[in-house]
């Protein structure tokens, strides 16, 4: 009886790395690089599970999932010879509640040639909808491990940027189109800029560099060229 062929793990790994896509983060005024955004088509499932599904042996904790993502991004960065830093990596909300996240991500980075400071873990604005003090303590764990932390405000912008919170945040990501219609978002950007937080925008045009810089937005994710 012929044995089943073993899966080619190298091909599986190559396929996973190929799904990592990089977008440049550029300074709208000077044109220099401010880092990279690393995207993958898959995201962590943050849904409530009931019954047998909750006990599924295949379920993976948020901390292990994010550690795996960091490992894939690090490998893809090396393979693609991407040298710009920091690398903005989307992180699931559940990672903030998982006490093992900092240690798991730290261990993942130590298995690569990169260091923790080269990663900026981007959590959605909704992740900080609870107790601000609790959110600050959870971010502090990641900062102590050496990671940068950012907030993705492309879809909502309700996180209160208190003084203790501002010193922990490295980057905020917004949608340039929303800046034109939301005074509240503009106020958030102004506070962030005054605190030394880098604000980068999606859907930004090079020609709008002067206008956006006046609002406090100096970086853009893959800025659009002038038509």
């Amino acid at each position: 009886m012929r044995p089943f062929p073993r899966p080619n793990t190298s091909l599986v790994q190559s396929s996973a790395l190929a799904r990592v896509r990089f977008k440049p983060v550029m300074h709208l005024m000077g044109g220099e690089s401010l880092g990279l955004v690393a995207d993958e088509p898959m995201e962590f499932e943050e849904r409530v599970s009931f019954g047998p599904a909750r006990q599924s042996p295949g379920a993976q904790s948020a901390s292990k999932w994010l550690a795996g993502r960091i490992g894939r991004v690090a490998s893809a960065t090396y393979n693609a010879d991407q040298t710009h830093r920091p690398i903005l990596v989307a992180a699931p909300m559940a990672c903030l509640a998982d006490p093992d996240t900092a240690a798991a991500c730290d261990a993942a980075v130590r298995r690569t040639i990169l260091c923790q400071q080269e990663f900026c873990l981007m959590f959605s604005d909704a992740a900080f909808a609870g107790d601000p003090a609790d959110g600050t303590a959870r971010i502090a764990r990641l900062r102590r491990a050496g990671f940068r932390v950012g907030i993705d405000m492309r879809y909502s912008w309700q996180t209160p940027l208190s003084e203790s919170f501002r010193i922990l945040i490295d980057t905020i990501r917004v949608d340039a189109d929303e800046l034109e219609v939301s005074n509240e978002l503009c106020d958030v950007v102004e506070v962030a800029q005054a605190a030394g937080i880098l604000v980068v925008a999606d859907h930004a045009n090079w020609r709008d560099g002067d206008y956006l810089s006046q609002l406090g937005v100096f970086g853009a994710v893959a800025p659009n060229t002038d038509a």
Side-chain angles (χ1 to χ4, degrees):
M1 183 176 180
R2 295 174 60 185
F4 290 105
R6 294 182 178 179
N8 190 329
T9 55
S10 63
L11 291 178
V12 174
Q13 293 172 352
S14 297
S15 177
L17 298 184
R19 292 196 293 268
V20 180
R21 293 287 182 266
F22 295 104
K23 297 177 183 176
V25 181
M26 309 295 293
H27 196 290
L28 281 168
M29 300 301 294
E32 64 268 24
S33 171
L34 295 176
L36 294 169
V37 170
D39 286 329
E40 287 186 291
M42 58 181 178
E43 292 295 338
F44 183 77
E45 287 290 342
E46 296 188 288
R47 299 187 220 168
V48 177
S49 299
F50 300 96
R54 190 165 63 92
Q55 306 297 330
S56 172
Q60 191 176 32
S61 70
S63 59
K64 290 182 179 179
W65 188 92
L66 181 57
R69 163 167 280 186
I70 288 175
R72 291 190 299 274
V73 169
S75 296
T77 303
Y78 175 78
N79 291 345
D81 197 25
Q82 295 281 359
T83 58
H84 301 300
R85 302 290 185 272
I87 308 169
L88 277 57
V89 179
M93 290 190 296
C95 287
L96 284 179
D98 192 328
D100 298 325
T101 296
C105 293
D106 177 70
V109 173
R110 291 178 184 275
R111 292 191 290 268
T112 74
I113 63 170
L114 304 185
C115 66
Q116 293 81 354
Q117 189 68 12
E118 296 179 84
F119 291 91
C120 182
L121 305 180
M122 301 293 297
F123 294 92
S124 70
D125 172 71
F128 307 105
D131 183 0
D134 190 38
T136 300
R138 292 172 177 178
I139 292 177
R141 288 200 295 262
L142 293 169
R143 294 302 303 257
R144 284 195 296 269
F147 292 99
R148 305 179 192 221
V149 178
I151 308 176
D152 186 346
M153 292 188 174
R154 289 176 296 166
Y155 309 106
S156 66
W157 40 88
Q158 301 302 316
T159 300
L161 296 178
S162 62
E163 183 176 353
S164 60
F165 202 80
R166 292 195 297 266
I167 62 176
L168 298 173
I169 298 301
D170 181 84
T171 303
I172 287 178
R173 188 175 179 184
V174 301
D175 189 322
D177 295 335
E178 295 293 341
L179 288 168
E180 299 182 4
V181 297
S182 175
N183 292 330
E184 183 182 8
L185 179 58
C186 290
D187 291 341
V188 171
V189 169
E190 183 179 355
V191 172
Q193 190 271 335
I197 299 172
L198 174 64
V199 182
V200 301
D202 285 43
H203 305 136
N205 298 301
W206 282 110
R207 65 174 180 271
D208 296 330
D210 288 335
Y211 164 72
L212 291 173
S213 63
Q214 291 176 15
L215 296 178
V217 179
F218 292 96
V221 179
N224 301 318
T225 57
D226 296 339

